[in-house]
């Protein structure tokens, strides 16, 4: 019995240790912040954008250069970059491939030279040999046969064309008669007497049924909208969304931006919309609207952070789950 109790105690301690590890990992994932940063340089000569996201031991970096039109990505774990390759091995492979290509070129050039020499020798031999009289006679007979076959072929083609013309005329006439018959049938079709009263009643019944269904759905929705749990969720979400935007938004902004559009009215409207955003009022950030020129240039650096636990905070509210259940029943 004593041994069994010891085994049970060890198993319980192992289970508790695993649970503690899982809870610790969950807390780290939920409450350790994700840091992000972005740097942008926009000018007529040079434009580049770099963004970085860092969480615990993992960091992802993306860089884009408009001049070269290259997008560089780098993933690092504990400062070690993933996907790096040895440059020396690549160079050795390239050199070997170049040697093989050179040998192939030499082989092809030798083959071409040999074929040219053979063809020249054959032509010289053909010129030296005189054509005999028997060969001339055979060539003349072949020419006569070819002319006969060409004449026969032309006669056949002419006969086929004539037949097609003769057979096409009645075919066209048949098509025209069929079209006329179809038109006559359409004209001859009379409107069949239908039960207009019954069809009208059916349509009215269908419309009334649809109206009643819409009324019932509207009544259910209004009942759901006035429930206690839905009222609580609405009040909570009204407070939560502005706080979420503030939490996700950048904490530090530095730099200056000069922007302008084709018309001064559009620049004024956009400045009005931007003035509603909170990040426009940082101390070290200087936006400059240009009402006379179409311009977009400047240098900006953004730093911020966010927590997954703060974003998933509404999931721990019971009244929100109740509203979701009631919404499914509508």
């Amino acid at each position: 019995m004593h041994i069994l109790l010891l085994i049970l105690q060890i198993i319980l301690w192992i289970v508790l240790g695993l649970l503690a590890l899982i809870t610790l990992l969950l807390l780290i994932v939920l409450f350790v912040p994700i840091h992000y940063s972005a740097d942008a340089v926009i000018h007529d000569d040079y434009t580049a954008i770099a963004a970085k996201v860092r969480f615990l031991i993992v960091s992802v970096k993306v860089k884009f250069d408009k001049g070269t039109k290259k997008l560089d990505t780098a993933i690092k774990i504990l400062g070690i970059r993933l996907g790096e390759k040895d440059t020396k091995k690549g160079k050795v492979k390239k050199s070997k491939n170049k040697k093989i290509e050179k040998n192939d070129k030499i082989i092809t050039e030798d083959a071409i030279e040999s074929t040219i020499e053979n063809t020249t020798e054959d032509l010289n031999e053909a010129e030296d040999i005189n054509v005999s009289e028997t060969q001339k006679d055979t060539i003349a007979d072949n020419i006569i046969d070819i002319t006969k076959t060409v004449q026969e072929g032309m006669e056949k083609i002419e006969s086929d064309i004539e037949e097609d013309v003769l057979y096409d005329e009645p075919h066209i006439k048949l098509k025209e008669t069929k079209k006329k018959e179809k038109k006559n049938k359409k004209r001859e079709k009379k409107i069949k007497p239908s039960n207009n009263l019954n069809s009208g009643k059916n349509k009215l019944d269908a419309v009334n049924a649809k109206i009643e269904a819409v009324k019932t759905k509207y009544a259910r929705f209004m009942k759901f909208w006035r429930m206690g749990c839905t009222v609580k969720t609405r009040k909570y979400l009204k407070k939560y969304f502005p706080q979420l935007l503030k939490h996700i938004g950048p904490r530090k902004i530095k730099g200056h931006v000069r922007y302008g559009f084709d018309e001064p009215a559009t620049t004024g409207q956009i400045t009005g919309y931007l003035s509603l955003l909170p990040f426009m009022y940082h101390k070290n950030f200087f936006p400059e609207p240009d009402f006379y020129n179409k311009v977009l240039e400047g240098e900006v650096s953004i730093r911020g952070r966010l927590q997954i636990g703060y974003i998933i905070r509404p999931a721990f509210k019971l009244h929100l789950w109740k509203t979701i259940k009631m919404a499914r029943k509508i």
Side-chain angles (χ1 to χ4, degrees):
M1 286 291 291
H2 186 68
I3 293 159
L4 285 167
L5 287 167
L6 280 168
I7 292 160
L8 286 166
Q9 278 182 351
I10 291 158
I11 290 160
L12 283 167
W13 281 111
I14 289 160
V15 169
L16 287 167
L18 288 166
L19 286 167
L21 262 170
I22 290 158
T23 50
L24 198 140
L25 287 166
L26 280 168
L27 289 167
I28 287 163
V29 169
L30 290 171
F31 295 107
V32 172
I34 298 164
H35 294 273
Y36 67 88
S37 62
D39 297 316
V41 179
I42 301 162
H43 290 290
D44 294 330
D45 300 328
Y46 177 74
T47 57
I49 298 161
K52 190 180 178 181
V53 179
R54 183 168 55 84
F55 179 65
L56 293 172
I57 57 170
V58 182
S59 66
V60 181
K61 195 174 181 180
V62 180
K63 192 177 180 181
F64 177 72
D65 191 355
K66 194 178 178 181
T68 56
K69 291 182 179 180
K70 285 184 179 180
L71 185 71
D72 296 325
T73 56
I75 299 163
K76 289 182 180 180
I77 296 167
L78 289 168
I80 299 159
R81 187 170 177 175
L82 296 174
E84 279 189 346
K85 294 180 180 179
D86 294 328
T87 54
K88 290 180 181 179
K89 288 180 181 179
K91 286 178 182 178
V92 170
K93 285 180 181 178
K94 283 179 183 177
S95 63
K96 284 181 181 178
N97 290 321
K98 283 179 182 177
K99 285 179 182 178
I100 291 156
E101 285 174 358
K102 284 178 182 178
N103 291 324
D104 291 329
K105 284 179 183 177
I106 291 157
I107 290 156
T108 52
E109 286 172 1
D110 293 332
I112 291 156
E113 286 175 358
S114 64
T115 51
I116 290 159
E117 287 175 358
N118 291 321
T119 51
T120 50
E121 286 175 0
D122 293 328
L123 289 166
N124 291 321
E125 287 176 359
E127 286 175 356
D128 293 332
I129 296 161
N130 293 318
V131 178
S132 62
E133 291 179 357
T134 55
Q135 287 176 352
K136 287 178 182 179
D137 294 328
T138 53
I139 290 158
D141 293 328
N142 289 321
I143 291 159
I144 291 157
D145 293 327
I146 289 158
T147 53
K148 284 179 181 178
T149 52
V150 169
Q151 285 175 359
E152 288 175 357
M154 291 295 286
E155 287 174 358
K156 283 181 181 179
I157 289 158
E158 286 174 358
S159 64
D160 291 329
I161 289 160
E162 287 175 357
E163 287 176 357
D164 290 331
V165 169
L166 290 167
Y167 286 116
D168 282 337
E169 287 177 357
H171 186 67
I172 291 158
K173 286 179 182 178
L174 284 166
K175 281 184 178 178
E176 287 177 355
T177 52
K178 283 179 181 179
K179 284 180 182 178
K180 284 178 182 178
E181 285 176 359
K182 283 180 181 179
K183 284 180 182 178
N184 291 322
K185 281 179 182 178
K186 284 179 182 178
R187 286 174 185 174
E188 286 173 0
K189 277 183 181 180
K190 292 178 180 180
I191 297 161
K192 291 180 180 180
S194 61
N195 295 320
N196 290 321
L197 292 168
N198 292 323
S199 64
K201 283 178 181 178
N202 291 323
K203 284 178 182 178
L204 285 167
D205 291 331
V207 169
N208 288 320
K210 284 180 181 178
I211 290 160
E212 284 177 0
V214 170
K215 283 180 179 179
T216 52
K217 282 182 181 179
Y218 180 73
R220 282 179 186 175
F221 178 76
M222 289 305 293
K223 192 178 179 181
F224 165 75
W225 190 253
R226 289 167 185 170
M227 284 175 76
C229 59
T230 52
V231 172
K232 283 180 182 178
T233 50
R234 278 191 284 142
K235 286 179 180 179
Y236 177 73
L237 291 171
K238 277 181 185 178
K239 291 178 182 177
Y240 171 72
F241 281 117
Q243 289 174 0
L244 183 69
L245 289 168
K246 193 177 178 181
H247 177 73
I248 291 165
R251 303 289 176 90
K252 292 179 182 179
I253 299 172
K254 290 180 182 180
H256 68 281
V257 177
R258 190 163 71 90
Y259 61 92
F261 296 92
D262 292 325
E263 294 180 358
T266 53
T267 53
Q269 285 177 355
I270 286 158
T271 50
Y273 293 134
L274 290 170
S275 64
L276 298 169
L277 299 169
F279 66 83
M280 291 290 286
Y281 300 99
H282 282 270
K283 290 179 180 179
N284 298 316
F285 182 62
F286 304 101
E288 186 185 346
D290 192 348
F291 293 96
Y292 300 102
N293 298 313
K294 189 181 178 181
V295 180
L296 181 64
E297 60 179 12
E299 296 177 3
V300 182
S301 67
I302 296 164
R303 301 285 181 275
R305 62 180 186 178
L306 58 97
Q307 290 177 354
I308 294 163
Y310 193 89
I311 295 161
I312 305 166
R313 194 174 64 176
F316 298 100
K317 299 289 179 182
L318 292 169
H319 55 79
L320 194 137
W321 292 106
K322 283 180 183 178
T323 52
I324 290 162
K325 282 181 182 179
M326 294 301 292
R328 286 179 181 177
K329 291 177 182 179
I330 294 168

